[in-house]
Amino acid sequence: MSLILPPLSLYIHIPWCIRKCPYCDFNSHQANQKLPETDYVAALREDLLFDKHLAQGRKLTSIFFGGGTPSIFSAQAIGAILQDAESIIGFEPDIEITLEANPGTFEQEKFSGFRAAGVNRLSIGIQSFNDVQLKALGRVHDRNEALRAVNVARKAGFDNINLDLMHGLPQQTLADAQADLTQAIALSPEHLSWYQLTIEQNTHFYSAPPILPEEDILVDIQDAGLQKLTDAGYYQYEISAYAKNKQRARHNINYWEFGDYLGIGAGAHGKITLAAQQEILRLWKTRLPKHYLESAQKITAHVHGHQNAYGGGGELLSPETLPLEFLMNALRLNEGVPADYFTERTGLSLNALQPQWKALIAKGLVELTRERLHTTPLGRRFLNRVLEAYTVS
Ligand SMILES: C[S@@+](CC[C@H](N)C(=O)[O-])C[C@H]1O[C@@H](n2cnc3c(N)ncnc32)[C@H](O)[C@@H]1O
Ligand code: SF4
């Protein structure tokens, strides 16, 4: 069985925010002084030049600016990064370029500039339209700014907009959660990411837990929300992702379909198929922005012959871990993935999924139908049980 090079995406991490939110464990740091924007853009360029050979002749099918808060950067900086990416790796003609933006006024002024710089999909971090809840979440924006952000984005020419919303918020009722969805739907975004708030270690909420809704309310919020979104024409294609008119997040789909991606910026991860060696490489860059900037132009690690700049690391994925690595991505998608992808993207025969797959079919948790590997609705609900079957001890 031989590995076939899958589509290539690029993740770009911008690690700063205006203020750190109490629930957030992303690699994001409060920007206390003037941002080292020029130095960071230069470091990203060096980082990409180091990784260039990993593209192996492919052009980029998608780019995602994530954070942190990428919209904290100027449109000129975002434009310069995109120009570098185009000249170093190259773009497929229909490339999707997403940028995460916060809905504050400071960011909205830049939306037209981001669009002009080549960003064609905006992901706005709304979280909630309820001022009480926004306050409890420590957000810097209020309901009105959130509403305005979507209008400003439309006026700036964005015809592909995602809104990030969270539910299960401190003291949230079923009616509150429904009101947030009603408002989001009224704005008619192409895509909605609807996450249940989780309390993560190393966050303020972990050390000072807020009062969250009871379990049965969380279930009601989830069930009623799914119904509401479905009725409004939003199709749930992944655990937290809903799209109208099939306008799915192509960048994320490439992750879930076990495609390849380069990751540049502080703490960014990449996953790359090495065609000549028939191996799969995972690599990561150093996490702290300060260290990342200091590492510029220094070769600090060698990964199986692959030089890795920026003080990060890398490892080759062992064949034993590949079934789990593949399934933990692929089975997040409601419709799963073509069965052929398993062989093409792991280099293993479908037999490598046995005997567990057969046992899971017998329990009604997974299926192989119309040549696709996927879970049943029951399996989606108990995805951990499905994945446990492939955990290598
Ligand atoms: C990298 S973050 C954010 C983008 C942007 N900085 C913002 O906050 O608007 C991506 C999304 O993850 C979600 N998120 C972050 N922390 C979370 C948590 N603890 N539980 C659930 N969702 C979370 C939020 O919806 C957030 O918009
Ligand atoms: S949720 Fe967004 S704005 Fe808040 S700290 Fe995390 S990345 Fe920054």
Side-chain angles (χ1 to χ4, degrees), residues 47-67:
D47 196 352
L48 195 57
L49 282 167
F50 258 100
D51 282 357
K52 175 183 159 79
H53 66 289
L54 300 171
Q56 301 158 87
R58 288 168 293 180
K59 292 185 173 167
L60 297 169
T61 58
S62 67
I63 295 181
F64 194 96
F65 286 92

Side-chain angles (χ1 to χ4, degrees), residues 184-205:
I185 291 164
L187 293 168
S188 211
E190 283 66 33
H191 192 281
L192 272 166
S193 298
W194 192 50
Y195 304 106
Q196 181 169 325
L197 175 69
T198 51
I199 304 297
E200 307 286 346
Q201 276 186 23
N202 303 318
T203 61
H204 178 70
F205 273 3

Side-chain angles (χ1 to χ4, degrees), residues 1 118 137 142 165 264 298-299 323 352 380-382:
M1 301 290 158
L137 291 173
D142 61 13
L165 279 186
I264 58 170
K298 271 193 240 154
I299 304 164
R380 273 207 292 287
R381 218 167 157 157
F382 298 103

Side-chain angles (χ1 to χ4, degrees), residues 14-18 29-40 69-74 106 110 289 293:
I14 309 292
W16 293 283
C17 298
I18 294 177
H29 307 265
Q30 192 156 312
N32 293 321
Q33 309 139 2
K34 194 175 168 317
L35 289 178
E37 198 178 81
T38 312
D39 290 349
Y40 198 75
T69 305
S71 57
I72 207 167
F73 266 20
S74 65
F106 160 74
K110 300 187 235 171
L293 286 162

Side-chain angles (χ1 to χ4, degrees), residues 25 31 35 51 98 122 135 159 161 205 226 229 244 305 367 377:
D25 78 336
L35 289 178
D51 282 357
T98 306
L122 203 65
K135 218 172 186 156
D159 58 6
I161 294 178
F205 273 3
L226 172 60
L229 287 165
K244 208 167 62 172
E367 280 176 313

Side-chain angles (χ1 to χ4, degrees), residues 185-340:
I185 291 164
L187 293 168
S188 211
E190 283 66 33
H191 192 281
L192 272 166
S193 298
W194 192 50
Y195 304 106
Q196 181 169 325
L197 175 69
T198 51
I199 304 297
E200 307 286 346
Q201 276 186 23
N202 303 318
T203 61
H204 178 70
F205 273 3
Y206 190 77
S207 40
I211 301 170
L212 296 180
E214 301 284 337
E215 189 57 38
D216 54 340
I217 298 189
L218 290 176
V219 172
D220 288 350
I221 290 177
Q222 191 73 47
D223 291 348
L226 172 60
Q227 190 60 53
K228 192 175 199 41
L229 287 165
T230 308
D231 291 347
Y234 288 87
Y235 174 71
Q236 182 189 26
Y237 66 97
E238 189 265 349
I239 298 168
S240 310
Y242 298 78
K244 208 167 62 172
N245 303 327
K246 299 215 160 148
Q247 282 168 290
R248 303 173 188 193
R250 282 163 42 207
H251 183 87
N252 291 352
I253 287 186
N254 198 33
Y255 292 155
W256 296 322
E257 290 186 341
F258 215 52
D260 277 4
Y261 51 96
L262 296 168
I264 58 170
H269 283 238
K271 175 249 161 191
I272 291 292
T273 305
L274 302 170
Q277 294 89 333
Q278 288 289 298
E279 283 175 319
I280 299 173
L281 176 68
R282 187 175 292 295
L283 62 169
W284 54 90
K285 312 296 162 66
T286 195
R287 230 176 119 77
L288 281 180
K290 182 170 173 286
H291 292 166
Y292 181 80
L293 286 162
E294 284 167 359
S295 304
Q297 300 182 23
K298 271 193 240 154
I299 304 164
T300 50
H302 288 260
V303 189
H304 300 277
H306 295 277
Q307 292 174 332
N308 185 15
Y310 301 93
E315 64 185 9
L316 292 172
L317 298 184
S318 73
E320 298 75 63
T321 61
L322 281 173
L324 177 64
E325 291 273 353
F326 183 89
L327 293 178
M328 64 194 263
N329 285 290
L331 298 184
R332 293 179 65 94
L333 290 164
N334 284 17
E335 291 169 7
V337 293
D340 289 347

